[in-house]
Amino acid sequence: MNLRELSQLLGLSQTTVSRALNGYPEVSEATRNRVQQVARDHNYSPNARAKGLATGRSHAIGHVIPISHRHEMVNPVFGDFISGVGEVYAREGYDLVMSVVTTADELNTYRTLAARSSVDGVVLHAPLMEDPRIPLMRELGLPFVVHGRASHEELPYSWLDVNNKSAFQRATDFLLDLGHRQIGLINGLEMQDFAFRRREGYVAALKSRGLDLDPTLMRSDEMTEVYGYESAKEMLQSDAPPSAFLVASMISAYGIRRAIQEAGLVMGSDVSVVTFDDDLSYLSNRQDIPIFTACRSSVRDAGMRVAEMLLRQIKAPQSPLEQTLLEAELIAGRSTGPFTGQI
Amino acid sequence: MNLRELSQLLGLSQTTVSRALNGYPEVSEATRNRVQQVARDHNYSPNARAKGLATGRSHAIGHVIPISHRHEMVNPVFGDFISGVGEVYAREGYDLVMSVVTTADELNTYRTLAARSSVDGVVLHAPLMEDPRIPLMRELGLPFVVHGRASHEELPYSWLDVNNKSAFQRATDFLLDLGHRQIGLINGLEMQDFAFRRREGYVAALKSRGLDLDPTLMRSDEMTEVYGYESAKEMLQSDAPPSAFLVASMISAYGIRRAIQEAGLVMGSDVSVVTFDDDLSYLSNRQDIPIFTACRSSVRDAGMRVAEMLLRQIKAPQSPLEQTLLEAELIAGRSTGPFTGQI
DNA sequence: TAACCCTTCCAAAGCGCTTTGATAATTTTT
DNA sequence: AAAAATTATCAAAGCGCTTTGGAAGGGTTA
């Protein structure tokens, strides 16, 4: 069922039917109702490609997911983020077009996306400190919003980010206030902007109390369970083991907890742990009393906000760029306690 | 840069340029090379919508992700599966169109997808035992492949599934061979076909040795860490605690391990655990010796195969339906050992 | 009654591509 | 050398929609 058939069925022109369905005023209420009714009865939906060709927009948003071929990591955060943006897109009638590409093809994928004009805008994920995608998007003239920030980017752009620095600074302060002095930092890959900023927060907190940094207490890698486990295990076996850990992901926190238990220690009394909690649905930390003390910021919520920002920008291209900085909550759970000197 | 501009630039007709770029034979090699060169120089890619409108196909595959609004769960398996299908789509020049919808809207989303003809085919996720999507897809005439199976569906359809029953039957046998008799089953939601089949495997193994089922040892729920923890904790506190657990996901297995450690027991000697391992990149169980004894089947690999099946079907609609049954490997790790009677 | 103005509808062009059916240009066959 | 076959190119139609620029029809006003 296409527009021509539908209009013949109704004894009206395509013009009138199109206007009736798209809410234009120059059609009487009576005909509009009749048209809508018949369209519904025949389960008519306009052909997406034809509509797009005529209007010049695709009503689709692009998400490019790079897979490094060394270790095909799919960030677990990704699912929840997508579910957040996806909900908004669905509500607003936009499609989500995803391209899974190798990091080598990434920039070309954006070029092609723009050249074929298959999307009206894109969301940039996991920015590096200096990210070539941002100037590229400007060059291509494609609306975009960055989830995160690129510290070294000088020109303005739209972004939404969690205040990673203040979150980790507060978390570190929290541990310091509990009396901990040896705090292990189990960070994500520090080429990623978020991880770099978290480290800055950790460093700032220590510095402001005049404490020295101990490089043996600072790790940076892909945030798996095993990484958390191995890092914590090694640190706990050292001569001056940390009495607390600050960790960048729930999954690695599980690993740290395992290392603590395996060492015959108790998390929350012997060793404290503070984690960053993206509030993932399958890795929930939400109990009566949360298992982990954590900086919490829902990545699903971030996805919804990013989507709204981008759609606003697409609908009103002249509107000013938006920047949103979210503060993570620091929620106290069972995994922290005062320094006991037991370790 | 569009086709008209490009052809003017070349002093050729649109026809010739189009044929040159699409590999048709009725154009000389000399002109073809010239056309391709100039197209590349000007970064020309044909407009996706115009091409789709002209050819009648979208070169896109739909994935509909339902979010139950009770608890906005995004299955962690999802990310790896998407990265698998996405890699194949990218290689074959297809887009991945994702719709995140509430379960209530799900069927209508498929209807709309078909009516607007925005995709050339769809992948069905997480089938129920009796799944209304399968007859609907037939009605809509949209090519589709199911990841999993629907036990109660009678007519043939394309699917790819892991042999969940034999996997859990082997796993149960493995535990029985080690001397365990009280085996806790921490299953997924049994309205899902895969979970139902896993349970069948567990039941079959017990029955074939003349053992009775103990309903207090069988749980079914969304597979979170806390679910694994709570279930194991309760079972271990009972009068006749299990000496082994069979669990449907790595995440819940983490929870079980935690409950075991917290009870002062050692996983792998006091209590054995076998899990299903989807080989997720961020939850890797791949060590020199795997942490968990597990039925392993890579969901990323499954995604790649599903995508290949679907694209084959789209390219040759008359070709017969394909059914693929994968066997999971049973890999021995550190989490299992002979029954000691210590529990 | 004529002139004018809304309201309601429509014919036709255009979006950027593919593809059909011809037409020139060249080569081969008779 | 003329006829036939092949090669290389093109003009134009069509995919299904939106949108521009009218044009009827009915009601008001002068």
Side-chain angles (χ1 to χ4, degrees), chain B residues 33-61:
Chain B
N33 289 334
R34 194 165 67 91
V35 169
Q36 284 175 341
Q37 187 56 51
V38 175
R40 216 174 302 122
D41 290 350
H42 290 75
N43 195 32
Y44 169 78
S45 282
N47 180 294
R49 292 186 294 280
K51 183 163 188 161
L53 185 55
T55 57
R57 32 236 315 357
S58 57
H59 267 243
I61 306 297

PDB file of all heavy atoms in Angstrom, chain B residues 33-61:
ATOM      1  N   ASN B  33      37.753   3.035 -15.377  1.00  0.00           N
ATOM      2  CA  ASN B  33      38.850   3.487 -14.522  1.00  0.00           C
ATOM      3  C   ASN B  33      38.809   4.994 -14.296  1.00  0.00           C
ATOM      4  O   ASN B  33      38.984   5.469 -13.174  1.00  0.00           O
ATOM      5  CB  ASN B  33      40.190   3.096 -15.140  1.00  0.00           C
ATOM      6  CG  ASN B  33      40.421   1.600 -15.054  1.00  0.00           C
ATOM      7  OD1 ASN B  33      39.865   0.940 -14.159  1.00  0.00           O
ATOM      8  ND2 ASN B  33      41.198   1.062 -15.976  1.00  0.00           N
ATOM      9  N   ARG B  34      38.535   5.700 -15.372  1.00  0.00           N
ATOM     10  CA  ARG B  34      38.485   7.149 -15.241  1.00  0.00           C
ATOM     11  C   ARG B  34      37.374   7.559 -14.267  1.00  0.00           C
ATOM     12  O   ARG B  34      37.576   8.366 -13.368  1.00  0.00           O
ATOM     13  CB  ARG B  34      38.239   7.775 -16.622  1.00  0.00           C
ATOM     14  CG  ARG B  34      38.505   9.267 -16.690  1.00  0.00           C
ATOM     15  CD  ARG B  34      38.613   9.749 -18.125  1.00  0.00           C
ATOM     16  NE  ARG B  34      37.361   9.660 -18.857  1.00  0.00           N
ATOM     17  CZ  ARG B  34      36.464  10.661 -18.922  1.00  0.00           C
ATOM     18  NH1 ARG B  34      36.700  11.786 -18.299  1.00  0.00           N
ATOM     19  NH2 ARG B  34      35.358  10.515 -19.608  1.00  0.00           N
ATOM     20  N   VAL B  35      36.225   6.937 -14.455  1.00  0.00           N
ATOM     21  CA  VAL B  35      35.079   7.252 -13.585  1.00  0.00           C
ATOM     22  C   VAL B  35      35.412   6.953 -12.123  1.00  0.00           C
ATOM     23  O   VAL B  35      35.199   7.780 -11.234  1.00  0.00           O
ATOM     24  CB  VAL B  35      33.836   6.447 -14.020  1.00  0.00           C
ATOM     25  CG1 VAL B  35      32.735   6.563 -12.975  1.00  0.00           C
ATOM     26  CG2 VAL B  35      33.340   6.936 -15.365  1.00  0.00           C
ATOM     27  N   GLN B  36      35.941   5.776 -11.884  1.00  0.00           N
ATOM     28  CA  GLN B  36      36.244   5.400 -10.500  1.00  0.00           C
ATOM     29  C   GLN B  36      37.245   6.359  -9.875  1.00  0.00           C
ATOM     30  O   GLN B  36      37.103   6.745  -8.710  1.00  0.00           O
ATOM     31  CB  GLN B  36      36.785   3.968 -10.472  1.00  0.00           C
ATOM     32  CG  GLN B  36      35.679   2.933 -10.663  1.00  0.00           C
ATOM     33  CD  GLN B  36      36.214   1.517 -10.768  1.00  0.00           C
ATOM     34  OE1 GLN B  36      37.395   1.320 -11.052  1.00  0.00           O
ATOM     35  NE2 GLN B  36      35.347   0.540 -10.547  1.00  0.00           N
ATOM     36  N   GLN B  37      38.225   6.745 -10.671  1.00  0.00           N
ATOM     37  CA  GLN B  37      39.241   7.654 -10.151  1.00  0.00           C
ATOM     38  C   GLN B  37      38.620   8.984  -9.727  1.00  0.00           C
ATOM     39  O   GLN B  37      38.815   9.456  -8.599  1.00  0.00           O
ATOM     40  CB  GLN B  37      40.307   7.889 -11.239  1.00  0.00           C
ATOM     41  CG  GLN B  37      41.498   8.690 -10.753  1.00  0.00           C
ATOM     42  CD  GLN B  37      42.140   8.032  -9.530  1.00  0.00           C
ATOM     43  OE1 GLN B  37      42.438   6.836  -9.553  1.00  0.00           O
ATOM     44  NE2 GLN B  37      42.314   8.777  -8.458  1.00  0.00           N
ATOM     45  N   VAL B  38      37.859   9.566 -10.640  1.00  0.00           N
ATOM     46  CA  VAL B  38      37.252  10.866 -10.344  1.00  0.00           C
ATOM     47  C   VAL B  38      36.277  10.764  -9.173  1.00  0.00           C
ATOM     48  O   VAL B  38      36.212  11.641  -8.314  1.00  0.00           O
ATOM     49  CB  VAL B  38      36.545  11.430 -11.597  1.00  0.00           C
ATOM     50  CG1 VAL B  38      35.817  12.724 -11.266  1.00  0.00           C
ATOM     51  CG2 VAL B  38      37.557  11.656 -12.701  1.00  0.00           C
ATOM     52  N   ALA B  39      35.534   9.656  -9.131  1.00  0.00           N
ATOM     53  CA  ALA B  39      34.583   9.466  -8.024  1.00  0.00           C
ATOM     54  C   ALA B  39      35.338   9.453  -6.700  1.00  0.00           C
ATOM     55  O   ALA B  39      34.934  10.097  -5.732  1.00  0.00           O
ATOM     56  CB  ALA B  39      33.808   8.165  -8.212  1.00  0.00           C
ATOM     57  N   ARG B  40      36.448   8.731  -6.696  1.00  0.00           N
ATOM     58  CA  ARG B  40      37.227   8.645  -5.459  1.00  0.00           C
ATOM     59  C   ARG B  40      37.785  10.021  -5.092  1.00  0.00           C
ATOM     60  O   ARG B  40      37.703  10.449  -3.955  1.00  0.00           O
ATOM     61  CB  ARG B  40      38.365   7.629  -5.646  1.00  0.00           C
ATOM     62  CG  ARG B  40      38.644   6.827  -4.384  1.00  0.00           C
ATOM     63  CD  ARG B  40      39.665   5.727  -4.644  1.00  0.00           C
ATOM     64  NE  ARG B  40      39.252   4.807  -5.691  1.00  0.00           N
ATOM     65  CZ  ARG B  40      39.944   4.571  -6.806  1.00  0.00           C
ATOM     66  NH1 ARG B  40      41.095   5.190  -7.009  1.00  0.00           N
ATOM     67  NH2 ARG B  40      39.500   3.717  -7.706  1.00  0.00           N
ATOM     68  N   ASP B  41      38.310  10.707  -6.091  1.00  0.00           N
ATOM     69  CA  ASP B  41      38.885  12.022  -5.835  1.00  0.00           C
ATOM     70  C   ASP B  41      37.879  12.978  -5.194  1.00  0.00           C
ATOM     71  O   ASP B  41      38.229  13.776  -4.332  1.00  0.00           O
ATOM     72  CB  ASP B  41      39.377  12.650  -7.145  1.00  0.00           C
ATOM     73  CG  ASP B  41      40.605  11.923  -7.684  1.00  0.00           C
ATOM     74  OD1 ASP B  41      41.157  11.087  -6.933  1.00  0.00           O
ATOM     75  OD2 ASP B  41      40.991  12.177  -8.833  1.00  0.00           O
ATOM     76  N   HIS B  42      36.643  12.867  -5.634  1.00  0.00           N
ATOM     77  CA  HIS B  42      35.644  13.796  -5.110  1.00  0.00           C
ATOM     78  C   HIS B  42      34.847  13.187  -3.970  1.00  0.00           C
ATOM     79  O   HIS B  42      33.820  13.720  -3.563  1.00  0.00           O
ATOM     80  CB  HIS B  42      34.722  14.265  -6.232  1.00  0.00           C
ATOM     81  CG  HIS B  42      35.402  15.173  -7.198  1.00  0.00           C
ATOM     82  ND1 HIS B  42      36.295  14.706  -8.140  1.00  0.00           N
ATOM     83  CD2 HIS B  42      35.365  16.516  -7.348  1.00  0.00           C
ATOM     84  CE1 HIS B  42      36.755  15.718  -8.845  1.00  0.00           C
ATOM     85  NE2 HIS B  42      36.218  16.835  -8.393  1.00  0.00           N
ATOM     86  N   ASN B  43      35.324  12.050  -3.476  1.00  0.00           N
ATOM     87  CA  ASN B  43      34.689  11.405  -2.331  1.00  0.00           C
ATOM     88  C   ASN B  43      33.196  11.183  -2.580  1.00  0.00           C
ATOM     89  O   ASN B  43      32.346  11.436  -1.733  1.00  0.00           O
ATOM     90  CB  ASN B  43      34.895  12.257  -1.069  1.00  0.00           C
ATOM     91  CG  ASN B  43      34.575  11.473   0.182  1.00  0.00           C
ATOM     92  OD1 ASN B  43      34.778  10.260   0.233  1.00  0.00           O
ATOM     93  ND2 ASN B  43      34.042  12.164   1.180  1.00  0.00           N
ATOM     94  N   TYR B  44      32.892  10.712  -3.771  1.00  0.00           N
ATOM     95  CA  TYR B  44      31.492  10.477  -4.103  1.00  0.00           C
ATOM     96  C   TYR B  44      31.004   9.133  -3.570  1.00  0.00           C
ATOM     97  O   TYR B  44      31.661   8.103  -3.752  1.00  0.00           O
ATOM     98  CB  TYR B  44      31.301  10.503  -5.626  1.00  0.00           C
ATOM     99  CG  TYR B  44      29.944  10.000  -6.056  1.00  0.00           C
ATOM    100  CD1 TYR B  44      28.821  10.815  -5.942  1.00  0.00           C
ATOM    101  CD2 TYR B  44      29.788   8.707  -6.533  1.00  0.00           C
ATOM    102  CE1 TYR B  44      27.576  10.340  -6.313  1.00  0.00           C
ATOM    103  CE2 TYR B  44      28.544   8.224  -6.907  1.00  0.00           C
ATOM    104  CZ  TYR B  44      27.445   9.039  -6.788  1.00  0.00           C
ATOM    105  OH  TYR B  44      26.204   8.579  -7.143  1.00  0.00           O
ATOM    106  N   SER B  45      29.867   9.146  -2.861  1.00  0.00           N
ATOM    107  CA  SER B  45      29.155   7.911  -2.519  1.00  0.00           C
ATOM    108  C   SER B  45      27.702   8.136  -2.884  1.00  0.00           C
ATOM    109  O   SER B  45      27.156   9.193  -2.561  1.00  0.00           O
ATOM    110  CB  SER B  45      29.247   7.617  -1.021  1.00  0.00           C
ATOM    111  OG  SER B  45      30.486   7.069  -0.697  1.00  0.00           O
ATOM    112  N   PRO B  46      27.087   7.199  -3.525  1.00  0.00           N
ATOM    113  CA  PRO B  46      25.700   7.418  -3.939  1.00  0.00           C
ATOM    114  C   PRO B  46      24.788   7.627  -2.734  1.00  0.00           C
ATOM    115  O   PRO B  46      24.953   6.978  -1.707  1.00  0.00           O
ATOM    116  CB  PRO B  46      25.335   6.136  -4.688  1.00  0.00           C
ATOM    117  CG  PRO B  46      26.331   5.127  -4.242  1.00  0.00           C
ATOM    118  CD  PRO B  46      27.575   5.882  -3.916  1.00  0.00           C
ATOM    119  N   ASN B  47      23.857   8.510  -2.877  1.00  0.00           N
ATOM    120  CA  ASN B  47      22.881   8.773  -1.822  1.00  0.00           C
ATOM    121  C   ASN B  47      22.099   7.493  -1.506  1.00  0.00           C
ATOM    122  O   ASN B  47      21.491   6.885  -2.384  1.00  0.00           O
ATOM    123  CB  ASN B  47      21.939   9.876  -2.303  1.00  0.00           C
ATOM    124  CG  ASN B  47      20.889  10.213  -1.263  1.00  0.00           C
ATOM    125  OD1 ASN B  47      20.048   9.388  -0.961  1.00  0.00           O
ATOM    126  ND2 ASN B  47      20.961  11.418  -0.729  1.00  0.00           N
ATOM    127  N   ALA B  48      22.154   7.124  -0.235  1.00  0.00           N
ATOM    128  CA  ALA B  48      21.593   5.835   0.169  1.00  0.00           C
ATOM    129  C   ALA B  48      20.085   5.761  -0.091  1.00  0.00           C
ATOM    130  O   ALA B  48      19.576   4.743  -0.540  1.00  0.00           O
ATOM    131  CB  ALA B  48      21.873   5.600   1.649  1.00  0.00           C
ATOM    132  N   ARG B  49      19.378   6.831   0.165  1.00  0.00           N
ATOM    133  CA  ARG B  49      17.919   6.805   0.009  1.00  0.00           C
ATOM    134  C   ARG B  49      17.521   6.735  -1.453  1.00  0.00           C
ATOM    135  O   ARG B  49      16.623   5.990  -1.832  1.00  0.00           O
ATOM    136  CB  ARG B  49      17.314   8.050   0.642  1.00  0.00           C
ATOM    137  CG  ARG B  49      17.440   8.058   2.131  1.00  0.00           C
ATOM    138  CD  ARG B  49      16.700   9.221   2.724  1.00  0.00           C
ATOM    139  NE  ARG B  49      17.286  10.494   2.347  1.00  0.00           N
ATOM    140  CZ  ARG B  49      18.351  11.032   2.916  1.00  0.00           C
ATOM    141  NH1 ARG B  49      18.968  10.383   3.881  1.00  0.00           N
ATOM    142  NH2 ARG B  49      18.800  12.191   2.533  1.00  0.00           N
ATOM    143  N   ALA B  50      18.220   7.522  -2.277  1.00  0.00           N
ATOM    144  CA  ALA B  50      17.894   7.520  -3.702  1.00  0.00           C
ATOM    145  C   ALA B  50      18.175   6.136  -4.295  1.00  0.00           C
ATOM    146  O   ALA B  50      17.368   5.587  -5.052  1.00  0.00           O
ATOM    147  CB  ALA B  50      18.718   8.578  -4.415  1.00  0.00           C
ATOM    148  N   LYS B  51      19.298   5.592  -3.918  1.00  0.00           N
ATOM    149  CA  LYS B  51      19.650   4.264  -4.414  1.00  0.00           C
ATOM    150  C   LYS B  51      18.611   3.244  -3.963  1.00  0.00           C
ATOM    151  O   LYS B  51      18.149   2.413  -4.748  1.00  0.00           O
ATOM    152  CB  LYS B  51      21.027   3.885  -3.882  1.00  0.00           C
ATOM    153  CG  LYS B  51      21.532   2.559  -4.378  1.00  0.00           C
ATOM    154  CD  LYS B  51      23.028   2.448  -4.158  1.00  0.00           C
ATOM    155  CE  LYS B  51      23.569   1.188  -4.829  1.00  0.00           C
ATOM    156  NZ  LYS B  51      25.019   1.269  -5.037  1.00  0.00           N
ATOM    157  N   GLY B  52      18.255   3.344  -2.694  1.00  0.00           N
ATOM    158  CA  GLY B  52      17.269   2.418  -2.151  1.00  0.00           C
ATOM    159  C   GLY B  52      15.931   2.565  -2.844  1.00  0.00           C
ATOM    160  O   GLY B  52      15.262   1.578  -3.148  1.00  0.00           O
ATOM    161  N   LEU B  53      15.555   3.787  -3.106  1.00  0.00           N
ATOM    162  CA  LEU B  53      14.262   4.018  -3.750  1.00  0.00           C
ATOM    163  C   LEU B  53      14.259   3.407  -5.146  1.00  0.00           C
ATOM    164  O   LEU B  53      13.292   2.777  -5.578  1.00  0.00           O
ATOM    165  CB  LEU B  53      13.993   5.524  -3.834  1.00  0.00           C
ATOM    166  CG  LEU B  53      12.632   5.924  -4.370  1.00  0.00           C
ATOM    167  CD1 LEU B  53      11.519   5.272  -3.567  1.00  0.00           C
ATOM    168  CD2 LEU B  53      12.483   7.435  -4.346  1.00  0.00           C
ATOM    169  N   ALA B  54      15.370   3.583  -5.834  1.00  0.00           N
ATOM    170  CA  ALA B  54      15.447   3.072  -7.198  1.00  0.00           C
ATOM    171  C   ALA B  54      15.512   1.547  -7.241  1.00  0.00           C
ATOM    172  O   ALA B  54      14.940   0.916  -8.131  1.00  0.00           O
ATOM    173  CB  ALA B  54      16.660   3.669  -7.903  1.00  0.00           C
ATOM    174  N   THR B  55      16.205   0.964  -6.293  1.00  0.00           N
ATOM    175  CA  THR B  55      16.386  -0.482  -6.344  1.00  0.00           C
ATOM    176  C   THR B  55      15.324  -1.241  -5.566  1.00  0.00           C
ATOM    177  O   THR B  55      15.174  -2.446  -5.733  1.00  0.00           O
ATOM    178  CB  THR B  55      17.750  -0.893  -5.755  1.00  0.00           C
ATOM    179  OG1 THR B  55      17.823  -0.391  -4.411  1.00  0.00           O
ATOM    180  CG2 THR B  55      18.887  -0.326  -6.565  1.00  0.00           C
ATOM    181  N   GLY B  56      14.629  -0.548  -4.686  1.00  0.00           N
ATOM    182  CA  GLY B  56      13.622  -1.231  -3.886  1.00  0.00           C
ATOM    183  C   GLY B  56      14.180  -1.969  -2.685  1.00  0.00           C
ATOM    184  O   GLY B  56      13.474  -2.706  -2.019  1.00  0.00           O
ATOM    185  N   ARG B  57      15.465  -1.785  -2.432  1.00  0.00           N
ATOM    186  CA  ARG B  57      15.970  -2.386  -1.190  1.00  0.00           C
ATOM    187  C   ARG B  57      16.778  -1.378  -0.397  1.00  0.00           C
ATOM    188  O   ARG B  57      17.347  -0.444  -0.938  1.00  0.00           O
ATOM    189  CB  ARG B  57      16.768  -3.637  -1.437  1.00  0.00           C
ATOM    190  CG  ARG B  57      17.474  -3.597  -2.666  1.00  0.00           C
ATOM    191  CD  ARG B  57      17.503  -4.453  -3.811  1.00  0.00           C
ATOM    192  NE  ARG B  57      17.581  -5.824  -4.039  1.00  0.00           N
ATOM    193  CZ  ARG B  57      17.711  -6.830  -3.231  1.00  0.00           C
ATOM    194  NH1 ARG B  57      17.814  -6.646  -1.944  1.00  0.00           N
ATOM    195  NH2 ARG B  57      17.766  -8.047  -3.661  1.00  0.00           N
ATOM    196  N   SER B  58      16.823  -1.635   0.908  1.00  0.00           N
ATOM    197  CA  SER B  58      17.393  -0.625   1.800  1.00  0.00           C
ATOM    198  C   SER B  58      18.834  -0.944   2.162  1.00  0.00           C
ATOM    199  O   SER B  58      19.537  -0.101   2.690  1.00  0.00           O
ATOM    200  CB  SER B  58      16.578  -0.565   3.073  1.00  0.00           C
ATOM    201  OG  SER B  58      16.559  -1.835   3.668  1.00  0.00           O
ATOM    202  N   HIS B  59      19.258  -2.166   1.908  1.00  0.00           N
ATOM    203  CA  HIS B  59      20.589  -2.574   2.356  1.00  0.00           C
ATOM    204  C   HIS B  59      20.753  -2.320   3.850  1.00  0.00           C
ATOM    205  O   HIS B  59      21.766  -1.787   4.291  1.00  0.00           O
ATOM    206  CB  HIS B  59      21.677  -1.869   1.549  1.00  0.00           C
ATOM    207  CG  HIS B  59      22.117  -2.677   0.379  1.00  0.00           C
ATOM    208  ND1 HIS B  59      23.374  -3.166   0.216  1.00  0.00           N
ATOM    209  CD2 HIS B  59      21.413  -3.120  -0.677  1.00  0.00           C
ATOM    210  CE1 HIS B  59      23.448  -3.867  -0.901  1.00  0.00           C
ATOM    211  NE2 HIS B  59      22.274  -3.850  -1.465  1.00  0.00           N
ATOM    212  N   ALA B  60      19.731  -2.678   4.571  1.00  0.00           N
ATOM    213  CA  ALA B  60      19.781  -2.518   6.023  1.00  0.00           C
ATOM    214  C   ALA B  60      19.062  -3.692   6.679  1.00  0.00           C
ATOM    215  O   ALA B  60      18.116  -4.248   6.112  1.00  0.00           O
ATOM    216  CB  ALA B  60      19.113  -1.212   6.440  1.00  0.00           C
ATOM    217  N   ILE B  61      19.537  -4.075   7.840  1.00  0.00           N
ATOM    218  CA  ILE B  61      18.930  -5.169   8.604  1.00  0.00           C
ATOM    219  C   ILE B  61      18.394  -4.605   9.916  1.00  0.00           C
ATOM    220  O   ILE B  61      19.054  -3.790  10.552  1.00  0.00           O
ATOM    221  CB  ILE B  61      19.976  -6.254   8.929  1.00  0.00           C
ATOM    222  CG1 ILE B  61      20.672  -6.739   7.662  1.00  0.00           C
ATOM    223  CG2 ILE B  61      19.320  -7.421   9.653  1.00  0.00           C
ATOM    224  CD1 ILE B  61      19.781  -7.400   6.664  1.00  0.00           C
TER     225      ILE B  61
END
